[in-house]
Amino acid sequence: MSSPFAAPSTPDEPVDRDSKEQYVLPLVVRIERADPPARTDALETSARAVLTLLADPRVTDGDGEWAERVAAWEDARIRKVVRRARGGEWRKAGELPGITVTGATAEVRVFPPVPLDGWPKELAKLQVSGTDLDDPEAPAAPAGGLPVLWLNPDLEMSAGKTMAQTGHAAQLAWWRLDDTRRKEWAESGFALAVRTAAPEDWAALTESGLPLVRDAGFTEIAPGSCTVVADHPALR
């Protein structure tokens, strides 16, 4: 599922992001018929995949192979599209430049940004819809001190749409951290949890000053919907 949102800009330097050339960050989740991943693990793995790309030397080095494309992508709308693959489709996707991140049950491959209308044919033919996953059992409470991406309890989104949203939330947290905290998070393997907030806690979370994703509303939900709060301990 696709999900664009606007990157933050400083009040004294307004940016017309829609006038920029538009890029999209492709993510592909492996969903085999006989052994699909658990939903929460897929959401967490998607977020970690985005962070892994942002921390990669091919992005962070000034002359890195992907640095220019990521900079152009971040200068416009921060679009992410999650597609699904299995079998030969997954193997072909793995041959393209990118990074595969694994969870307990999930595999997600993230690719450097591509022009909105310039997808590689191996990825363009993959399905967006139908990315529906379940948890075999309710996730346990997250460990203390762990960054948590809190989902809006009042919204229903497909797994693909939610994977894009958790990727957004992780990226917003990354932007807010200093270099020391980023290094610590990377050294932990970008440990994090995704959980649905308790309904009675959601309003306080959205007003806490923590990074908050507001969706553009192009798919599934209304424009401006608050979807995820990134609760990183270093940002409290």
Side-chain angles (χ1 to χ4, degrees), residues 25-28 49-50 52-53 66 97-101 108-112:
L25 187 79
L27 296 115
V28 175
V50 171
T52 300
L53 178 130
W66 300 340
I99 304 169
T100 298
V101 175
V108 176
R109 188 163 179 84
V110 61
F111 303 86

Side-chain angles (χ1 to χ4, degrees), residues 20-214:
K20 306 282 186 178
E21 183 178 2
Q22 299 297 304
Y23 286 79
V24 60
L25 187 79
L27 296 115
V28 175
V29 57
R30 183 179 186 181
I31 303 181
E32 301 290 347
R33 281 199 183 100
D35 191 23
R39 180 184 176 95
T40 295
D41 190 44
L43 303 181
E44 293 171 349
T45 304
S46 176
R48 291 194 298 111
V50 171
L51 292 166
T52 300
L53 178 130
L54 293 175
D56 192 281
R58 287 168 288 186
V59 173
T60 59
D61 292 349
D63 58 352
E65 180 183 356
W66 300 340
E68 186 174 347
R69 270 187 285 173
V70 169
W73 168 62
E74 291 186 332
D75 202 33
R77 290 260 174 191
I78 310 300
R79 297 175 183 262
K80 298 178 180 71
V81 172
V82 178
R83 296 177 182 260
R84 56 187 171 90
R86 64 174 181 264
E89 296 173 333
W90 174 256
R91 289 191 292 274
K92 288 180 181 179
E95 294 171 358
L96 298 176
I99 304 169
T100 298
V101 175
T102 59
T105 62
E107 292 180 79
V108 176
R109 188 163 179 84
V110 61
F111 303 86
V114 298
L116 196 57
D117 57 355
W119 283 69
K121 65 179 187 297
E122 296 88 348
L123 302 183
K125 66 182 181 180
L126 299 178
Q127 293 294 314
V128 177
S129 61
T131 311
D132 295 318
L133 301 170
D134 295 308
D135 283 315
E137 57 186 41
L146 194 67
V148 181
L149 308 179
W150 294 108
L151 304 177
N152 185 335
D154 298 322
L155 288 179
E156 291 188 9
M157 298 182 288
S158 68
K161 175 75 172 182
T162 313
M163 288 173 68
Q165 299 296 308
T166 59
H168 292 340
Q171 186 170 2
L172 289 178
W174 179 257
W175 281 340
R176 293 264 294 269
L177 295 173
D178 60 29
D179 289 343
T180 298
R181 297 297 189 179
R182 287 181 176 182
K183 182 179 179 181
E184 291 173 352
W185 205 8
E187 289 175 346
S188 76
F190 294 114
L192 56 83
V194 175
R195 298 291 186 270
T196 300
E200 63 270 20
D201 294 338
W202 180 247
L205 282 167
T206 61
E207 297 168 2
S208 65
L210 292 166
L212 170 64
V213 179
R214 293 182 183 272

